[in-house]
Amino acid sequence: MRTSSLILLAWLSMAVVGLLPVIEPYRVSLPEILATPSTDHWLGTDELGRPVLDRLLSGAGVSLLVALTTVTISALIGIAVGLVAGYFGGVTDRLISRVIEIFLAFPGMLLAIAMAAMIGPGIDNVIIALAVMGWVGYARLVRVQVMSLRQRDHVLAAAALGSSDLTIMRRHLLPLVMAPVWVEASFGVAGAVVAEAGLSFLGLGIQAPDASWGGMIRDGVRYLLVAPHLVVAPGMALFLVVLAANLFGDALRDRFDVTSRNSW
Amino acid sequence: MTVRLISQLIDTLIVLFGVSTLVFLLLVLIPGDPVDVVLGESAQAADREAMRAALGLDRPLPERWLKFYVDLAHGDLGDSLVRLQPVTDLIRQRLPATLQLAAAAFVLVLLIAMPLGIIAARHRGRWPDSLAQTFALVGVSIPNFWLGPLLVLLFSVYLGWTPVSGNLESGSLVLPAITLGLSMAAITTRMMRSSLLEIESQPFLRTARCKGLSEGAVMLRHSLPNAMLPVITVLGLQLGGLLAGAVITEVVFSWPGIGSLLVDAIRQRDYPVVQGVVLFIALSYVLVNRLSDTLAAWLDPRIRERA
């Protein structure tokens, strides 16, 4: 958990540094096209002579922004839908479960690609496309949890004391379903980072001249033979962040498992 | 079993209906007028009307929806705006390349995941296990649009063993298959391992060992058949996912399958092709998943005989 936290912290710092005015992701310098890493440019320059390190830092901000926004929106929608379905049951639940099932019937990225294709590229649309794909996981998770918690004594007691449905959901159910939601959110960050980069790689995500790790790989592939650093650097950053988020999710899951086992 | 099959069939039909409706509604999401998007705003009025009629945009939404289903029932996905061919023909031309790639990736998944999962479970907590777990973690974390170029760099450029792209030379299938299959191999390895470990404490395994069977025989006759059920479900999910995962892999390697068809169509704003390919992949995904669920249920005598 320590290694993964360190990498995620590094990602965060990169994103912050990427906002500083000394970073020049858009500075075109034609004499320095496709320069290999040197003391002037630690990670070399790209096909327009722009410093790869600066673009990498700027891209860190983009991926962080997209990941956090996507996960937050997906989780909020998913938790609300899952709470309603699990708590009210009956026709409401059957209807919502059908919708969940239909969204789950789309394989991974396909829905996001199709959405992005229709609503067009850009950072806002990437977030929308990924949230449309992402909410289902949280909804399914929360729904199952709430269904198993609905008949617990404290919930029945709250209802008998006249608490409203909203209060019961918020005060008595929500806190108990949050542990798996955090685990899902951690994997969600990994998924969103890959998905944003994937969409940008396909030209459906962040648009030039803005820096995105996926877009940098896409542009770099054309110069793979002469300047492999253009592909290696952003890919390595991407890989490490995804690896860290996955490790973090695994560790979180193990930790929550242990505590729940002890408390039974 | 029959009752179960019928209820599953109805269930599948409802999902197929929902999925196709969602894909139909995607066209509604296009901001502004799709005709403007396709033709540009300076197009002639007559051309715009022709395009509007060709896309069916001059009809109300419910009528278009109904027509979409009638056409779908006839196996008609509309015509490409750019290539002026039926979308089904385009899919039929490109599908063999994608199937070839998906099949190669699937074989690779089986060849890697089965032995690795078994070795990891048998040597639990020792180095082969850590190795397999590291492989599983790296495999799911490495994005395929980065893995592809890295493999090209290593095997085509530095070592010169395989062609850089396309599918014309022999050996050109290897790198795309690894690129497409690695993350699935990682997931399946993990599933295989945990599934084997889960049944490890079952009494029938103790009995098998007590009656003097060798470890190999226990694995082959008792552990594997029982551990395979969840693995088959996961494999089914991934087999369907291979078609979707092929989209990025095909772009990386300029592989002429339906994935490149989709991405080209998106770039050309050829909406009927986009819609058709997305629908085709989604429907195949649902069908493969349902089939593998049915297969897993049928293979399990506990479920087969109860129903």
Side-chain angles (χ1 to χ4, degrees):
Chain A
M1 195 150 195
R2 193 182 293 154
T3 323
S4 58
S5 308
L6 277 179
I7 297 176
L8 294 174
L9 217 59
W11 182 34
L12 194 72
S13 338
M14 280 174 74
V16 173
V17 173
L19 293 173
L20 299 179
V22 289
I23 300 302
E24 303 176 303
Y26 305 115
R27 199 208 54 195
V28 173
S29 165
L30 296 179
E32 297 175 296
I33 283 176
L34 300 176
T36 46
S38 65
T39 44
D40 282 348
H41 303 292
W42 289 0
L43 293 176
T45 60
D46 69 3
E47 73 277 11
L48 294 172
R50 297 173 298 192
V52 172
L53 178 61
D54 294 32
R55 293 189 65 75
L56 198 69
L57 292 170
S58 174
V62 171
S63 71
L64 186 71
L65 177 71
V66 171
L68 293 187
T69 325
T70 304
V71 168
T72 309
I73 296 175
S74 308
L76 288 179
I77 298 175
I79 290 170
V81 172
L83 271 173
V84 168
Y87 183 73
F88 290 109
V91 183
T92 320
D93 180 42
R94 279 217 293 279
L95 213 66
I96 292 177
S97 301
R98 277 289 176 215
V99 175
I100 291 178
E101 203 182 344
I102 287 164
F103 272 84
L104 282 177
F106 279 89
M109 277 283 284
L110 186 71
L111 192 58
I113 291 177
M115 283 282 296
M118 294 300 174
I119 59 181
I123 196 164
D124 308 353
N125 287 348
V126 167
I127 293 170
I128 295 174
L130 296 185
V132 165
M133 177 179 97
W135 68 274
V136 194
Y138 303 93
R140 186 174 56 164
L141 202 64
V142 170
R143 173 181 168 269
V144 174
Q145 297 271 318
V146 169
M147 278 171 61
S148 72
L149 291 170
R150 197 172 42 183
Q151 297 300 322
R152 286 280 190 86
D153 288 344
H154 78 279
V155 177
L156 296 177
L161 288 171
S163 300
S164 69
D165 292 334
L166 197 65
T167 314
I168 295 178
M169 281 193 263
R170 211 187 52 216
R171 301 262 310 267
H172 302 291
L173 290 172
L174 188 59
L176 296 179
V177 301
M178 280 313 281
V181 168
W182 285 113
V183 177
E184 176 84 4
S186 186
F187 292 123
V189 167
V193 169
V194 175
E196 178 270 308
L199 287 178
S200 299
F201 176 80
L202 292 175
L204 303 172
I206 315 303
Q207 295 294 294
D210 286 338
S212 143
W213 291 347
M216 289 170 77
I217 295 178
R218 165 196 168 86
D219 294 337
V221 164
R222 276 179 245 149
Y223 306 94
L224 192 61
L225 305 188
V226 282
H229 61 276
L230 295 186
V231 171
V232 174
M236 186 55 88
L238 190 59
F239 169 63
L240 286 177
V241 166
V242 174
L243 186 76
N246 278 332
L247 270 172
F248 194 82
D250 275 346
L252 218 52
R253 182 163 53 194
D254 290 348
R255 176 168 296 187
F256 284 140
D257 259 0
V258 171
T259 48
S260 62
R261 209 176 297 140
N262 289 345
S263 65
W264 285 127
Chain B
M1 194 72 195
T2 324
V3 178
R4 198 189 141 88
L5 274 179
I6 291 172
S7 87
Q8 273 184 346
L9 194 67
I10 295 172
D11 207 50
T12 308
L13 285 176
I14 295 174
V15 171
L16 289 178
F17 175 76
V19 167
S20 42
T21 302
L22 206 58
V23 175
F24 167 77
L25 288 174
L26 279 175
L27 267 186
V28 183
L29 289 173
I30 302 171
D33 189 341
V35 175
D36 281 346
V37 176
V38 176
L39 291 179
E41 287 184 19
S42 56
Q44 298 284 325
D47 290 342
R48 304 165 71 93
E49 281 316 306
M51 170 72 70
R52 201 173 295 277
L55 284 172
L57 294 176
D58 51 349
R59 304 271 165 212
L61 197 62
E63 194 185 322
R64 279 160 60 192
W65 192 27
L66 196 67
K67 185 176 181 308
F68 173 76
Y69 274 106
V70 173
D71 288 350
L72 192 61
H74 289 97
D76 180 2
L77 292 172
D79 294 329
S80 159
L81 299 176
V82 179
R83 299 166 203 247
L84 307 173
Q85 266 180 304
V87 174
T88 42
D89 284 1
L90 289 171
I91 293 178
R92 207 173 294 136
Q93 287 161 19
R94 298 292 201 100
L95 190 59
T98 299
L99 288 182
Q100 186 193 18
L101 178 57
F106 194 66
V107 170
L108 195 79
V109 169
L110 293 180
L111 286 181
I112 296 176
M114 295 292 155
L116 209 54
I118 293 172
I119 292 170
R122 285 196 61 176
H123 301 274
R124 181 186 191 177
R126 293 204 300 274
W127 68 265
D129 189 21
S130 337
L131 199 71
Q133 297 233 54
T134 310
F135 164 76
L137 188 67
V138 170
V140 294
S141 301
I142 196 161
N144 51 3
F145 49 91
W146 187 52
L147 177 63
L150 281 189
L151 291 174
V152 168
L153 211 53
L154 182 62
F155 290 103
S156 304
V157 180
Y158 293 140
L159 298 173
W161 289 353
T162 51
V164 172
S165 71
N167 70 340
L168 299 174
E169 298 162 69
S170 68
S172 57
L173 188 58
V174 180
L175 297 189
I178 297 176
T179 305
L180 180 57
L182 191 73
S183 70
M184 300 180 181
I187 296 169
T188 314
T189 302
R190 212 171 170 165
M191 192 70 214
M192 188 79 223
R193 173 185 180 274
S194 64
S195 185
L196 279 170
L197 288 179
E198 204 139 281
I199 60 161
E200 190 50 40
S201 55
Q202 293 284 327
F204 63 80
L205 285 187
R206 198 176 51 211
T207 311
R209 292 202 174 97
C210 287
K211 74 181 185 188
L213 281 186
S214 69
E215 272 306 305
V218 171
M219 179 60 79
L220 217 57
R221 301 239 307 264
H222 298 282
S223 293
L224 271 183
N226 284 288
M228 278 312 285
L229 288 169
V231 177
I232 287 175
T233 308
V234 168
L235 279 175
L237 268 174
Q238 299 184 13
L239 188 61
L242 279 174
L243 280 183
V247 174
I248 286 179
T249 307
E250 286 181 10
V251 171
V252 171
F253 290 95
S254 323
W255 192 264
I258 55 171
S260 331
L261 178 66
L262 174 63
V263 174
D264 288 345
I266 291 173
R267 286 188 191 136
Q268 297 163 333
R269 304 192 188 283
D270 195 346
Y271 293 120
V273 176
V274 175
Q275 206 180 29
V277 175
V278 170
L279 187 63
F280 178 80
I281 295 177
L283 295 186
S284 320
Y285 182 67
V286 174
L287 288 177
V288 170
N289 284 347
R290 296 293 161 139
L291 280 178
S292 75
D293 277 355
T294 311
L295 178 70
W298 179 78
L299 283 175
D300 189 345
R302 286 167 300 192
I303 301 179
R304 187 175 52 209
E305 274 153 31
R306 179 169 36 124

